Amino acid sequence: MRVVIAGAGSVGRSIARELLSHGHSVTLVDRQPAAMRIASVADAEWQLADACEISSLAEAGVDSCDVVVAATGDDKANLVISLLAKTEFGVPRVVARVNNPKNEWMFDSAWGVDVQVSTPRIMTALVEEAVTVGDLVRIFSFHGSGTSLHEVTLAPGSAVAGRTVRELDWGPGCFLSAIIRAGEPVPADPDERVLAGDRLVLVLSERADPAALQRLVAPAPAAT
């Protein structure tokens, strides 16, 4: 897979290194000479240019890439890059970084964005997950589909704990995607039992009822 990443800051470079380690081809584009830290990601192609300009994207070969990642620290730039990648070059998949959560509503298909990634929101979700066992936490949303990814760590005493996947009724619009146990993913096979301490990864559509799911996974009320 060929990927063009606009923004060669710490986020862009980290994405590039990860993609390269998986065997993908990566081009990093940034308009700041100080960002040209080529030795830090030596296997990537580098381009000193403004990715908000059509000519720069053309020079980077965006017309033949599979994915464009708009990863700059400027939301306005990321929106422009996404729109150009999708409308001018027909890139199949555009991923955009959201720096300010207040701007999330703009990062949708109207601006050419297939997937938005809000670092502050993800970090908030991870903090909440670390301190709230038994609470359903939204990790991120798949924009354009109304689908979102949630996670919950089963608390001791949860009514769900000890039951098999087959026995669990998550309600409409909810699908158990995976179980993470002791740091390892476990397939959500029908006969697999979910245990206290398991982290359940759930995919929810617009039809799902998060409040009902929260009640389902909550610890059993303390005896009085």
Side-chain angles (χ1 to χ4, degrees), residues 19 24 73 76 82 93 112 115 123 144 150 188 197 206 213:
L19 289 169
H24 302 300
K76 295 188 294 294
S82 299
R93 189 167 182 82
V115 179
M123 291 181 70
H150 288 66
E206 291 178 322
L213 283 170

Side-chain angles (χ1 to χ4, degrees), residues 6-158:
S10 58
V11 172
R13 295 195 306 272
S14 295
I15 296 170
R17 282 191 288 267
E18 189 72 16
L19 289 169
L20 287 165
S21 71
H22 293 161
H24 302 300
S25 173
V26 176
T27 298
L28 280 161
V29 182
D30 203 294
R31 66 178 183 174
Q32 300 292 341
M36 295 290 104
R37 299 170 60 178
I38 297 175
S40 64
V41 195
D43 292 333
E45 295 182 15
W46 288 75
Q47 180 181 337
L48 179 61
D50 187 349
C52 290
E53 297 181 358
I54 293 178
S55 59
S56 299
L57 294 176
E59 186 179 345
V62 168
D63 58 337
S64 62
C65 76
D66 302 290
V67 181
V68 162
V69 181
T72 79
D74 185 334
D75 284 346
K76 295 188 294 294
N78 289 341
L79 285 171
V80 171
I81 294 163
S82 299
L83 185 63
L84 291 177
K86 184 65 71 174
T87 60
E88 298 294 329
F89 297 95
V91 176
R93 189 167 182 82
V94 177
V95 179
R97 172 188 176 187
V98 184
N99 297 279
N100 186 342
K102 293 181 179 179
N103 296 329
E104 286 182 358
W105 65 275
M106 292 188 290
F107 284 73
D108 59 15
S109 58
W111 279 93
V113 177
D114 295 305
V115 179
Q116 60 149 271
V117 180
S118 175
T119 303
R121 185 173 295 281
I122 290 174
M123 291 181 70
T124 299
L126 292 174
V127 169
E128 288 178 341
E129 180 224 357
V131 298
T132 53
V133 173
D135 283 353
L136 191 67
V137 177
R138 189 185 74 171
I139 303 301
F140 64 88
S141 298
F142 299 93
H143 277 258
S145 68
T147 302
S148 55
L149 193 69
H150 288 66
E151 182 179 324
V152 62
T153 300
L154 285 185
S158 168

